[in-house]
PDB file of all heavy atoms in Angstrom:
ATOM      1  N   MET A  19      38.622 -17.228  76.363  1.00 96.00           N
ATOM      2  CA  MET A  19      37.261 -16.749  76.120  1.00 96.00           C
ATOM      3  C   MET A  19      36.277 -17.607  76.921  1.00 96.00           C
ATOM      4  O   MET A  19      36.376 -18.836  76.914  1.00 96.00           O
ATOM      5  CB  MET A  19      36.918 -16.870  74.614  1.00 96.00           C
ATOM      6  CG  MET A  19      37.720 -15.936  73.735  1.00 96.00           C
ATOM      7  SD  MET A  19      37.482 -16.268  71.957  1.00 96.00           S
ATOM      8  CE  MET A  19      38.848 -17.385  71.612  1.00 96.00           C
ATOM      9  N   LYS A  23      35.996 -13.441  82.768  1.00 98.00           N
ATOM     10  CA  LYS A  23      36.833 -12.273  83.142  1.00 98.00           C
ATOM     11  C   LYS A  23      35.996 -11.001  83.317  1.00 98.00           C
ATOM     12  O   LYS A  23      36.152 -10.289  84.310  1.00 98.00           O
ATOM     13  CB  LYS A  23      37.911 -12.033  82.069  1.00 98.00           C
ATOM     14  CG  LYS A  23      38.808 -13.249  81.846  1.00 98.00           C
ATOM     15  CD  LYS A  23      39.720 -13.036  80.659  1.00 98.00           C
ATOM     16  CE  LYS A  23      39.042 -12.859  79.341  1.00 98.00           C
ATOM     17  NZ  LYS A  23      38.738 -14.042  78.549  1.00 98.00           N
ATOM     18  N   ASP A  42      37.996  -5.139  75.724  1.00 98.00           N
ATOM     19  CA  ASP A  42      37.268  -5.312  74.453  1.00 98.00           C
ATOM     20  C   ASP A  42      36.245  -4.190  74.261  1.00 98.00           C
ATOM     21  O   ASP A  42      36.125  -3.634  73.166  1.00 98.00           O
ATOM     22  CB  ASP A  42      36.556  -6.675  74.412  1.00 98.00           C
ATOM     23  CG  ASP A  42      37.515  -7.823  74.136  1.00 98.00           C
ATOM     24  OD1 ASP A  42      38.661  -7.559  73.739  1.00 98.00           O
ATOM     25  OD2 ASP A  42      37.112  -8.982  74.326  1.00 98.00           O
ATOM     26  N   ILE A  53      34.605  -5.777  67.639  1.00 97.00           N
ATOM     27  CA  ILE A  53      35.838  -6.587  67.558  1.00 97.00           C
ATOM     28  C   ILE A  53      35.811  -7.421  66.276  1.00 97.00           C
ATOM     29  O   ILE A  53      36.820  -7.534  65.573  1.00 97.00           O
ATOM     30  CB  ILE A  53      35.956  -7.531  68.783  1.00 97.00           C
ATOM     31  CG1 ILE A  53      35.924  -6.757  70.105  1.00 97.00           C
ATOM     32  CG2 ILE A  53      37.177  -8.432  68.674  1.00 97.00           C
ATOM     33  CD1 ILE A  53      37.124  -5.967  70.448  1.00 97.00           C
ATOM     34  N   PHE A  65      44.414  -5.611  65.603  1.00 98.00           N
ATOM     35  CA  PHE A  65      43.653  -5.721  66.859  1.00 98.00           C
ATOM     36  C   PHE A  65      44.605  -5.811  68.055  1.00 98.00           C
ATOM     37  O   PHE A  65      44.384  -5.179  69.087  1.00 98.00           O
ATOM     38  CB  PHE A  65      42.730  -6.951  66.829  1.00 98.00           C
ATOM     39  CG  PHE A  65      42.079  -7.208  68.159  1.00 98.00           C
ATOM     40  CD1 PHE A  65      41.013  -6.439  68.593  1.00 98.00           C
ATOM     41  CD2 PHE A  65      42.574  -8.202  69.006  1.00 98.00           C
ATOM     42  CE1 PHE A  65      40.438  -6.642  69.850  1.00 98.00           C
ATOM     43  CE2 PHE A  65      42.012  -8.412  70.258  1.00 98.00           C
ATOM     44  CZ  PHE A  65      40.938  -7.638  70.677  1.00 98.00           C
ATOM     45  N   ARG A  66      45.677  -6.583  67.911  1.00 98.00           N
ATOM     46  CA  ARG A  66      46.614  -6.736  69.049  1.00 98.00           C
ATOM     47  C   ARG A  66      47.276  -5.403  69.404  1.00 98.00           C
ATOM     48  O   ARG A  66      47.599  -5.160  70.571  1.00 98.00           O
ATOM     49  CB  ARG A  66      47.690  -7.785  68.729  1.00 98.00           C
ATOM     50  CG  ARG A  66      47.172  -9.195  68.559  1.00 98.00           C
ATOM     51  CD  ARG A  66      46.566  -9.780  69.809  1.00 98.00           C
ATOM     52  NE  ARG A  66      45.800 -10.999  69.501  1.00 98.00           N
ATOM     53  CZ  ARG A  66      44.743 -11.412  70.184  1.00 98.00           C
ATOM     54  NH1 ARG A  66      44.324 -10.743  71.244  1.00 98.00           N
ATOM     55  NH2 ARG A  66      44.101 -12.496  69.834  1.00 98.00           N
ATOM     56  N   GLY A  88      41.198  -9.253  77.112  1.00 98.00           N
ATOM     57  CA  GLY A  88      40.754 -10.228  76.127  1.00 98.00           C
ATOM     58  C   GLY A  88      41.605 -11.498  76.236  1.00 98.00           C
ATOM     59  O   GLY A  88      42.753 -11.454  76.700  1.00 98.00           O
ATOM     60  N   GLY A  89      41.035 -12.604  75.805  1.00 98.00           N
ATOM     61  CA  GLY A  89      41.689 -13.898  75.983  1.00 98.00           C
ATOM     62  C   GLY A  89      43.047 -14.052  75.315  1.00 98.00           C
ATOM     63  O   GLY A  89      43.867 -14.868  75.715  1.00 98.00           O
ATOM     64  N   GLY A  90      43.291 -13.232  74.275  1.00 98.00           N
ATOM     65  CA  GLY A  90      44.542 -13.397  73.539  1.00 98.00           C
ATOM     66  C   GLY A  90      45.621 -12.403  73.913  1.00 98.00           C
ATOM     67  O   GLY A  90      46.684 -12.361  73.271  1.00 98.00           O
ATOM     68  N   ARG A 127      33.072 -13.445  68.636  1.00 93.00           N
ATOM     69  CA  ARG A 127      34.459 -13.901  68.886  1.00 93.00           C
ATOM     70  C   ARG A 127      35.051 -14.418  67.569  1.00 93.00           C
ATOM     71  O   ARG A 127      34.862 -15.586  67.213  1.00 93.00           O
ATOM     72  CB  ARG A 127      34.512 -15.040  69.907  1.00 93.00           C
ATOM     73  CG  ARG A 127      33.864 -14.875  71.275  1.00 93.00           C
ATOM     74  CD  ARG A 127      34.171 -13.648  72.002  1.00 93.00           C
ATOM     75  NE  ARG A 127      34.059 -13.748  73.444  1.00 93.00           N
ATOM     76  CZ  ARG A 127      32.910 -13.559  74.137  1.00 93.00           C
ATOM     77  NH1 ARG A 127      31.769 -13.384  73.528  1.00 93.00           N
ATOM     78  NH2 ARG A 127      32.946 -13.580  75.457  1.00 93.00           N
ATOM     79  N   PRO A 128      35.753 -13.542  66.835  1.00 94.00           N
ATOM     80  CA  PRO A 128      36.241 -13.959  65.508  1.00 94.00           C
ATOM     81  C   PRO A 128      37.106 -15.211  65.534  1.00 94.00           C
ATOM     82  O   PRO A 128      37.062 -16.008  64.586  1.00 94.00           O
ATOM     83  CB  PRO A 128      37.042 -12.748  65.024  1.00 94.00           C
ATOM     84  CG  PRO A 128      36.966 -11.710  66.074  1.00 94.00           C
ATOM     85  CD  PRO A 128      36.033 -12.136  67.138  1.00 94.00           C
ATOM     86  N   LEU A 129      37.872 -15.416  66.606  1.00 93.00           N
ATOM     87  CA  LEU A 129      38.740 -16.601  66.597  1.00 93.00           C
ATOM     88  C   LEU A 129      37.953 -17.895  66.767  1.00 93.00           C
ATOM     89  O   LEU A 129      38.379 -18.941  66.280  1.00 93.00           O
ATOM     90  CB  LEU A 129      39.834 -16.475  67.664  1.00 93.00           C
ATOM     91  CG  LEU A 129      40.869 -15.373  67.385  1.00 93.00           C
ATOM     92  CD1 LEU A 129      41.976 -15.390  68.432  1.00 93.00           C
ATOM     93  CD2 LEU A 129      41.473 -15.500  65.998  1.00 93.00           C
ATOM     94  N   ARG A 146      47.480 -21.895  74.527  1.00 97.00           N
ATOM     95  CA  ARG A 146      47.631 -20.693  75.362  1.00 97.00           C
ATOM     96  C   ARG A 146      47.913 -21.001  76.832  1.00 97.00           C
ATOM     97  O   ARG A 146      48.272 -20.098  77.594  1.00 97.00           O
ATOM     98  CB  ARG A 146      46.352 -19.869  75.279  1.00 97.00           C
ATOM     99  CG  ARG A 146      46.118 -19.310  73.865  1.00 97.00           C
ATOM    100  CD  ARG A 146      45.543 -17.952  73.984  1.00 97.00           C
ATOM    101  NE  ARG A 146      45.363 -17.312  72.704  1.00 97.00           N
ATOM    102  CZ  ARG A 146      44.225 -16.757  72.317  1.00 97.00           C
ATOM    103  NH1 ARG A 146      43.165 -16.818  73.113  1.00 97.00           N
ATOM    104  NH2 ARG A 146      44.169 -16.135  71.169  1.00 97.00           N
TER     105      ARG A 146
HETATM  106  C1  S3P B   1      40.227 -13.042  71.863  1.00 77.60           C
HETATM  107  C2  S3P B   1      39.338 -12.955  72.913  1.00 77.60           C
HETATM  108  C3  S3P B   1      38.249 -11.963  72.960  1.00 77.60           C
HETATM  109  C4  S3P B   1      38.597 -10.740  72.097  1.00 77.60           C
HETATM  110  C5  S3P B   1      39.003 -11.159  70.717  1.00 77.60           C
HETATM  111  C6  S3P B   1      40.213 -12.089  70.729  1.00 77.60           C
HETATM  112  C7  S3P B   1      41.274 -14.090  71.884  1.00 77.60           C
HETATM  113  O1  S3P B   1      38.013 -11.530  74.298  1.00 77.60           O
HETATM  114  O2  S3P B   1      39.614  -9.979  72.691  1.00 77.60           O
HETATM  115  O3  S3P B   1      37.891 -11.777  70.117  1.00 77.60           O
HETATM  116  O4  S3P B   1      42.249 -13.978  71.128  1.00 77.60           O
HETATM  117  O5  S3P B   1      41.157 -15.039  72.693  1.00 77.60           O
HETATM  118  P1  S3P B   1      37.281 -12.450  75.415  1.00 77.60           P
HETATM  119  O6  S3P B   1      38.318 -13.363  76.001  1.00 77.60           O
HETATM  120  O7  S3P B   1      36.787 -11.447  76.410  1.00 77.60           O
HETATM  121  O8  S3P B   1      36.188 -13.175  74.743  1.00 77.60           O
END
Side-chain angles (χ1 to χ4, degrees):
M19 293 171 267
K23 302 172 297 272
D42 283 347
I53 303 288
F65 172 77
R66 295 296 166 210
R127 306 312 206 273
L129 292 184
R146 294 217 176 129

